[in-house]
Amino acid sequence: MPLRLMSWMKLFSAAIVIAALLYKIREKSMAESPMPELDPDPWWGPGEREKGDDSVRNFKIAISNQDLDDLKARLSLPLRLTPPLENANFTYGMNQNTLKEIVQHWRLKYDWRKREALLNYYPHFMTKIEGLDIHFMRGSAQTKGAKNIKVLPLLLIHGWPGTFVEFYDIMPLLTTPQEDSNVVFEVICPSIPGYGFSQGSAKQGLSHLETAQIFLKLMKRLGYDQFYLQGGDWGSIIATSMATMYPENILGIHLNMFVANSLGPNLKLILGAILPAGIVVSHEDQEKLYPLTEKFGMFARETGYLHIQATKPDTIGAALNQSPVSLAAYIMEKFSSWTHRDNYKEVNGGLLHKHFPIDIDKILDNICIYWFTGSITTSVRYYAENFSPKAVANNLDSIPCRVPSAMSAFPHDLLNQPKNFIAHKFYDIVSYSDQLVGGHFAAMERPKLLARDFHQFVNTVETREN
Ligand SMILES: *[C@@H]1O[C@H](CO)[C@@H](O)[C@H](O)[C@H]1NC(C)=O
């Protein structure tokens, strides 16, 4: 037998043995990971605990003239930009010629007061939970006289560098009757603590686990004991934590961006790299993970922000909160590189192309929310909390999630695992869709695709249970 074939066969038998062991290992590691125990009533506000106030207050986005003038003044300062290298486009990060164009547009054409009125189209609210003012926006279900339509509550969670601004285009597709769907949603869009109008913690240790508890309390306060979840980015991770820790409260969970970092998927990743396509990782899923060197290269290129935010958030926060131009550079670059994997090679990172999937003014709305609330530092601190030894030790990825689940894989997102990987975490996958287009900011880029996938999932779950 040729040597090459022999070594393949050895690998193949080894793979079968390991694969057979995977199931056992999964069961065992699951059994060994206890559910994290959270303080049921912590105080994240500054100083000592104060008297509780459970009221839900109306809130309007109303930036003061003083703050608006201050932004205009800062945007009018002479720019201190560095000419980009010739033909570099976005390969060195934010191209400063592009930045100059964006700042000019922001200063001269973008009209905050008009945008603010649009952002107030949906009602906003504030309520105090565990010592923090938690903001949320609400999209009310409209059956529009349609018969046999079920109204269901949905908690819709944003990520970084996003805010509730991500959801204006998808909102009407969720709150009004859609073709081939018998459900509409009463949508609650909270701001993660430290993002936008939600107050940041004064105390260390508020990770996605603690956020899950805060958001459950929010939903209960609003009268929802059972509800659906949808999220990408941190929204996906917070939703997963909620569905894992509070399965009795979750009717179903729908995710864009999903990764389970546990033994089973990690072994499969390595085996899949050694073995031919079709054995551990299907032919169709190859593109999601391999070639490994290329994927690791992409990961190294695109995740520097994550390392700095997880380790020195206050340093980068200070640099970004001092200048709207710096803040725009940092956030706009993410919108370029995370909507399409090859955008960094494009002129203007693709941002100013006619076909760029997100309107620049919508990204500026999002940046304005970070700017006016001064929340960039507290938003990046969330990485430090989520990657802290304490948060990581909870190992939630190894605890099974048994609620009905759905994954929507957008091809240009940072990372999505194949179904047989994510199944190590989610035991009841109702649907897994490979989208043909779209990236990380799915709700902004492809609201119709995301909404349709979500409606389909919920309709399946609802008819299954009846
Ligand atoms: C930048 O864009 C131009 C025009 O499309 C292209 O010719 C050039 O190769 C790009 N540079 C890089 C580094 O991809």
Side-chain angles (χ1 to χ4, degrees):
M1 225 190 291
L3 199 62
R4 215 178 125 69
L5 184 59
M6 249 171 74
S7 53
W8 269 121
M9 286 191 59
K10 264 190 214 157
L11 270 175
F12 187 68
S13 349
I16 288 174
V17 173
I18 293 169
L21 284 174
L22 274 179
Y23 187 77
K24 287 281 156 210
I25 291 168
R26 177 176 78 171
E27 297 281 286
K28 198 156 178 289
S29 67
M30 295 293 182
E32 279 167 4
S33 298
M35 204 62 90
E37 275 178 37
L38 302 189
D39 174 352
D41 190 23
W43 179 262
W44 302 109
E48 296 293 308
R49 181 184 300 270
E50 289 164 18
K51 261 230 197 77
D53 166 15
D54 286 358
S55 66
V56 176
R57 292 160 279 144
N58 290 315
F59 175 80
K60 216 174 160 84
I61 304 174
I63 302 305
S64 70
N65 283 332
Q66 193 186 339
D67 284 354
L68 195 51
D69 290 345
D70 178 81
L71 170 63
K72 282 184 189 153
R74 286 177 204 257
L75 287 176
S76 302
L77 291 173
L79 293 174
R80 291 169 47 89
L81 298 180
T82 307
L85 294 173
E86 291 167 13
N87 281 317
N89 304 332
F90 267 49
T91 50
Y92 287 70
M94 186 63 177
N95 184 297
Q96 303 200 15
N97 289 342
T98 312
L99 183 57
K100 189 172 164 187
E101 278 193 53
I102 289 171
V103 170
Q104 247 165 21
H105 173 82
W106 194 1
R107 192 161 63 86
L108 302 172
K109 299 235 175 76
Y110 177 88
D111 180 347
W112 169 255
R113 288 295 180 214
K114 271 194 192 147
R115 307 301 301 182
E116 190 178 59
L118 293 174
L119 295 176
N120 278 319
Y121 176 82
Y122 293 105
H124 296 257
F125 302 89
M126 222 31 125
T127 190
K128 211 168 205 80
I129 302 176
E130 299 180 0
L132 299 178
D133 267 326
I134 300 298
H135 158 262
F136 64 96
M137 172 170 86
R138 184 170 194 141
S140 287
Q142 300 161 33
T143 52
K144 303 204 163 173
K147 296 232 163 63
N148 303 323
I149 284 228
K150 205 165 178 182
V151 176
L152 294 162
L154 162 65
L155 186 73
L156 181 59
I157 318 174
H158 70 87
W160 187 92
T163 59
F164 60 92
V165 169
E166 288 178 47
F167 298 127
Y168 281 77
D169 288 336
I170 199 169
M171 191 70 111
L173 306 175
L174 299 171
T175 54
T176 63
Q178 301 295 304
E179 217 179 308
D180 300 325
S181 174
N182 296 315
V183 297
V184 287
F185 299 95
E186 185 71 25
V187 187
I188 307 297
C189 287
S191 295
I192 299 170
Y195 285 68
F197 297 103
S198 277
Q199 190 181 350
S201 177
K203 312 241 179 330
Q204 298 177 40
L206 200 167
S207 77
H208 60 98
L209 302 164
E210 288 75 17
T211 310
Q213 177 168 276
I214 291 173
F215 284 174
L216 180 69
K217 287 183 184 180
L218 170 66
M219 288 306 269
K220 287 193 165 177
R221 186 169 295 175
L222 299 176
Y224 301 119
D225 201 45
Q226 289 196 310
F227 49 92
Y228 280 90
L229 293 168
Q230 205 290 325
D233 198 87
W234 285 133
S236 160
I237 290 165
I238 296 164
T240 301
S241 307
M242 293 180 80
T244 308
M245 296 197 293
Y246 315 116
E248 64 280 9
N249 300 104
I250 307 305
L251 298 168
I253 174 172
H254 183 282
L255 305 172
N256 51 297
M257 200 185 94
F258 39 87
V259 179
N261 176 18
S262 61
L263 192 59
N266 290 339
L267 279 177
K268 280 185 176 170
L269 180 68
I270 296 165
L271 280 177
I274 304 167
L275 294 169
I279 297 173
V280 182
V281 178
S282 71
H283 289 272
E284 304 83 71
D285 282 331
Q286 290 293 315
E287 238 180 292
K288 288 199 179 91
L289 307 170
Y290 310 114
L292 269 188
T293 46
E294 198 183 298
K295 292 291 171 191
F296 282 147
M298 186 274 282
F299 235 66
R301 188 182 75 222
E302 297 303 339
T303 54
Y305 83 100
L306 189 147
H307 195 164
I308 197 164
Q309 292 176 189
T311 53
K312 311 285 180 189
D314 287 25
T315 307
I316 185 70
L320 300 177
N321 208 36
Q322 192 61 31
S323 158
V325 177
S326 313
L327 184 65
Y330 200 67
I331 292 182
M332 279 284 177
E333 182 255 300
K334 294 286 164 268
F335 274 85
S336 158
S337 43
W338 294 356
T339 47
H340 195 292
R341 204 156 291 145
D342 294 328
N343 268 351
Y344 70 111
K345 296 181 205 157
E346 294 287 320
V347 178
N348 295 321
L351 286 169
L352 307 177
H353 282 190
K354 230 182 23 227
H355 301 299
F356 190 72
I358 310 173
D359 182 11
I360 288 296
D361 281 359
K362 289 181 182 162
I363 309 178
L364 284 174
D365 293 343
N366 181 57
I367 292 172
C368 277
I369 298 296
Y370 276 93
W371 176 260
F372 288 129
T373 58
S375 60
I376 190 65
T377 305
T378 47
S379 80
V380 296
R381 268 187 202 149
Y382 203 53
Y383 287 76
E385 300 301 4
N386 285 330
F387 288 100
S388 76
K390 182 181 142 262
V392 172
N394 276 306
N395 202 12
L396 216 65
D397 281 4
S398 301
I399 304 176
C401 173
R402 292 190 168 84
V403 308
S405 311
M407 285 85 204
S408 205
F410 287 85
H412 286 278
D413 208 339
L414 289 168
L415 182 58
N416 284 319
Q417 286 176 334
K419 187 175 175 183
N420 65 331
F421 281 48
I422 203 77
H424 285 261
K425 162 77 187 170
F426 295 91
Y427 280 22
D428 183 12
I429 299 180
V430 175
S431 80
Y432 182 107
S433 349
D434 280 303
Q435 304 290 351
L436 298 177
V437 288
H440 187 69
F441 303 98
M444 293 181 98
E445 296 174 52
R446 310 286 168 182
K448 284 184 191 152
L449 289 182
L450 187 63
R452 191 180 309 146
D453 199 62
F454 182 67
H455 273 275
Q456 270 169 9
F457 162 62
V458 175
N459 277 283
T460 309
V461 175
E462 291 294 319
T463 47
R464 191 172 73 162
E465 281 171 359
N466 285 345

